[in-house]
Every structure is written in structure tokens, then in C-alpha cells.
Amino acid sequence: MFNLKKSVFFAMLLVCLLAFVANGNEAFAKVAGKNIQDINGDSKSDILYTPAGSLNPTVWFMDGTQIFLNPAPVSITGGTVPDATWFYVGTGDFNADGQFDLLYRNRVTSQFMVLTMNGSAVTAVSPAGAAANVIDSSWQVRGIADFDGDGQSELLLQISTGRDNLTNYTVAIAKFASNGLTIASLTNVVTLDNDDWKILGTGNFTGSSTGKSDILLMNTNPASAYAGNVVIWVMSGTSITSVVNVASIGATGLTNWQFIGQVTATTDNGIGVTSYVLNSTGDFDGNGFDDIAWVDTSATATNGQIYIWKMKAPTGSFSGSYLTDQWGVKKVLPSVVTFTPGGIGTLTFDTFVGIYDFDGDGRADILLQSSKTAGGTYPIEQWFIRGTNITSDTVPTAPPVMLMRGVQERCSKSAVNPHDWQNCNY
């Protein structure tokens, strides 16, 4: 016999359960993707670019493969970038409100400036001339991450080559005040006496329940006894609690494999320097551990293939597998997409923009862009990944310029003046 009271009870129970699951998934996505560049706080990555002829950025609010609500990009309002001496550094949640903010630095004064965000509206800007935000230009940005798990992003900095010597490569962390506008402290973490160990990026490689980030390094000196060694500094605030040896690709691997975030940045005087995209790690399989991706750079038929270390334990253990598409074919970089029939022909997506989470499922996605203009625009490509399989490969839109991406500050080495701003990519 139909029981109305029981039916209503179970219906209400089902609604509550679904709401709990949905909220749980959202919370997980926010923890697993602390570097996802979420400007409006919906747990989904957004896309930024600066229109030609403007200093102020524009945002596309993303919902998976779709541009959320409004297909047109939204201009950021309520605050402006003062002039061309300010360059974009990256995004982070500097006031811990769940919405990512924009970070700039002045190439002349070395001052940092934060624009705290609420969707497309700037809620506050760092005070002009704030002395606390001026850090000497020898300190270069290596990352933006939350190293103590309190929900607020910090700055990872490193001295490039000491002004008076070549043996000072101190690593430090700058923490912001609660309002996110001024730097409250700069604390040294460790001093390295050479440049063999490169900071590749940051991420939650040890599965911290709070999403606390660690630091990923590799020894890039082929003559070193540790050539190709990949290690993780497990962080607790500004302290290294342990060093995890993940694996070694060896001296040969330094030639045959490249970290996916490695790029060649151009200094103002036209010199190419090796740098790394800030958003270069992510949790591809949703197990709470950020993973590490490599690109085959050998002069063989496997060139361009992508291999992922799926991290799975605080000890640094992982399982490795090639990244494949929906048909089991190994994906390569650059990515080449042919549109048939008709369409715009063939596009080569040769620029790695970063690793994000556009659909908010707690699993990382890869964003690429073509630097070869297609009818005056620069199309983007999204790879939605589950583990090491691409489940969806889309080309959702084509902005009029190249996208904004955070890249580590690096200088070419010069015996004359290693800190001349024209000798750097910032």
C-alpha cells in the first residue's frame, strides 16, 4: 500500500544526501586545487588575458568546456594597473576568501601589488608605495602556494645569484597580512650554495588533508652526482619537515625528458632563459595527491609524448603511465588538431598555459594555446583528464591575444650585471 509519509521522508532524505555529496565534492575540489585560478569562487578555473592596447585584464568565467553565463569576456572593474612598469606575476588567494586575486610587480621599484577580487570586481588594491611590498629584485618569484594550509597563498622567492657572490641561492617565503594587500613577513627557508637544484613548482604532493603545498625540485647539472634527481621538500609553513627522494631521471634524462612546465622565457635584451610556468602540477586522478608530468624531448619517434607520475603516498611513491586520448593514442606536445570538414583547417597548440580544473571535479585539466594566429585570434585547447586518459579534448574559444600565465622570474647569467632588469624576463 502506498505510504505518503514514508515517500515524502525518503524523498527528503535523498535530497539531503545529494546536497551533502555535492557540497562534499565542492569542498574537495577547493582543497585539491588550491592553485586553480578561481576568480569568482565557484571551484572552477577561469581564464585571464590582457586585451591589446590595455593594461587591465579581462576574465572568462569558465564552467567546464563552456564559458559560464556570458560568452563574452568580462572586463575587471574597480581597480587598474597604473602603467607599463607593472608586470603580471600570477594569481593566488592572498586574503583567504576563496576567490583568487591578481599579483603584479614593478620592474623598476621591485614592489609587489595585489588586486583582491570578487568575481570581476576589484575589492582593494595594495597601497601605492607600500614599503612592506618592496623586496629587492635579486629575490625572484618561484611560486605562489599555501605552505601552511590556512587557505591563504604565500610567495615562494629565491635569490638568483647573490649581488656580491655566486654562492647564495637562499629560498624564502613571504606571507601576506590578513587583508592580502601587504607583505607581513619574509622568512628564510634554506640557503643553497649553488644553482644545481632548480625549483620546478609547488603542489600537494604528499596528500595533505588541508591542501598544504610542498616544493618540487630537480638537480639539473649533468655533471653532478645527483644529476636528474627529483625531490620534494615537505613543508610546514616556512619549515622543511622532510626531504622526499621521488626518483632520478639521470643525466641522460635531462636531455631526453623535460618537466611539462619548462619554458624558454625571453629577457628584455633578447636572451632566452629557462623558466617554469607557475601552474604546472595538478591532481589528474583525484586521489588528493598532485601529480608530475614530463614531456619526451628525445630525438626519437616518441618525441613529445607525455608521461605522468601519479603520486600516491607521502613517501613519494608513484605509478607512471603515458597520457592517452579517448582512443588510447599517446598524446604529444605540441598538440595538432585538424578540423574537418570545412572549419579552419589545422591548428598547432604549441604553448603550455598551465594545469587547472575547469569543471570543478577535483581532477586537473591541461590548457594549451596556439601562438599561430587563426584569423586574428589565438585559439585555446582544453584537455580534461581522468588519471592518464583524456576524456574530452575541446577548443572552446579563441581570444584575441595570448593568455596571461604566471612564469618564474629568471635572469640570464652575466658577469657584468646579473640583476640588470634588461637581463631578466621581468
Side-chain angles (χ1 to χ4, degrees):
M1 182 177 179
F2 179 75
N3 189 316
L4 179 59
K5 289 185 178 180
K6 284 186 177 180
S7 298
V8 171
F9 170 77
F10 283 114
M12 292 177 65
L13 182 63
L14 178 60
V15 169
C16 292
L17 179 61
L18 290 174
F20 173 79
V21 172
N23 290 335
N25 285 341
E26 181 179 351
F28 171 77
K30 287 184 177 180
V31 169
K34 285 211 169 184
N35 64 340
I36 64 172
Q37 193 167 282
D38 173 18
I39 306 299
N40 59 351
D42 65 352
S43 299
K44 298 169 186 174
S45 298
D46 303 308
I47 293 174
L48 293 163
Y49 72 85
T50 302
S54 174
L55 298 174
N56 300 312
T58 291
V59 59
W60 259 314
F61 294 114
M62 302 301 293
D63 184 13
T65 62
Q66 304 298 316
I67 299 172
F68 183 62
L69 293 180
N70 189 348
V74 180
S75 297
I76 287 176
T77 61
T80 59
V81 178
D83 56 60
T85 62
W86 295 90
F87 65 92
Y88 174 72
V89 176
T91 61
D93 187 1
F94 300 110
N95 58 356
D97 67 348
Q99 300 179 84
F100 276 53
D101 312 307
L102 309 182
L103 179 67
Y104 287 80
R105 193 177 193 184
N106 191 290
R107 65 170 64 245
V108 178
T109 66
S110 297
Q111 179 183 344
F112 287 98
M113 177 180 68
V114 175
L115 280 66
T116 57
M117 304 300 298
N118 180 11
S120 61
V122 176
T123 58
V125 181
S126 296
N133 288 358
V134 178
I135 296 178
D136 189 88
S137 62
S138 60
W139 287 98
Q140 300 176 348
V141 174
R142 295 289 187 259
I144 301 173
D146 178 11
F147 297 107
D148 53 12
D150 66 351
Q152 183 183 32
S153 299
E154 289 93 43
L155 268 181
L156 180 65
L157 301 166
Q158 185 177 26
I159 290 180
S160 57
T161 54
R163 283 185 179 272
D164 301 319
N165 61 71
L166 300 178
T167 59
N168 179 9
Y169 293 87
T170 300
V171 177
I173 290 176
K175 190 166 183 64
F176 286 82
S178 59
N179 64 6
L181 299 176
T182 56
I183 294 173
S185 63
L186 178 65
T187 305
N188 289 353
V189 176
V190 67
T191 295
L192 303 177
D193 60 6
N194 60 57
D195 198 26
D196 290 356
W197 292 93
K198 295 290 194 303
I199 294 175
L200 302 183
T202 61
N204 180 12
F205 304 111
T206 54
S208 165
S209 60
T210 62
K212 176 177 62 66
S213 287
D214 308 307
I215 301 172
L216 178 69
L217 303 96
M218 181 171 69
N219 189 302
T220 60
N221 181 2
S224 170
Y226 304 101
N229 281 20
V230 179
V231 304
I232 295 168
W233 288 348
V234 181
M235 301 301 296
S236 177
T238 57
S239 300
I240 300 172
T241 60
S242 64
V243 178
V244 175
N245 293 302
V246 182
S248 177
I249 62 174
T252 303
L254 294 176
T255 301
N256 294 337
W257 291 95
Q258 178 177 296
F259 179 60
I260 194 170
Q262 181 176 322
V263 295
T264 299
T266 304
T267 66
D268 285 353
N269 57 10
I271 299 174
V273 292
T274 298
S275 188
Y276 303 93
V277 176
L278 298 188
N279 284 54
S280 293
T281 66
D283 183 6
F284 292 111
D285 55 3
N287 69 344
F289 294 78
D290 281 337
D291 307 311
I292 305 167
W294 305 90
V295 180
D296 187 328
T297 53
S298 64
T300 67
T302 61
N303 181 274
Q305 293 181 357
I306 302 163
Y307 196 79
I308 297 177
W309 291 358
K310 294 189 296 181
M311 308 302 291
K312 58 183 181 181
T315 57
S317 63
F318 64 88
S319 58
S321 182
Y322 283 96
L323 181 64
T324 60
D325 64 15
Q326 300 95 314
W327 300 275
V329 179
K330 294 177 182 176
K331 292 293 285 186
V332 299
L333 289 177
S335 171
V336 178
V337 178
T338 301
F339 299 86
T340 55
I344 57 176
T346 299
L347 285 175
T348 300
F349 295 90
D350 55 352
T351 302
F352 172 79
V353 180
I355 295 176
Y356 302 99
D357 182 7
F358 294 108
D359 52 6
D361 67 349
R363 297 179 177 88
D365 313 311
I366 290 178
L367 180 63
L368 308 171
Q369 188 172 22
S370 175
S371 66
K372 315 294 191 298
T373 183
T377 61
Y378 299 84
I380 63 174
E381 181 182 16
Q382 293 171 297
W383 290 351
F384 291 86
I385 301 170
R386 303 295 177 268
T388 54
N389 301 107
I390 295 175
T391 59
S392 177
D393 182 353
T394 68
V395 181
T397 188
V401 293
M402 297 298 288
L403 300 178
M404 296 163 62
R405 65 175 182 179
V407 177
Q408 288 184 10
E409 299 170 349
R410 295 279 179 176
C411 297
S412 61
K413 295 190 176 181
S414 167
V416 180
N417 187 357
H419 300 291
D420 178 359
W421 64 267
Q422 292 185 341
N423 213 41
C424 304
N425 69 324
Y426 61 95

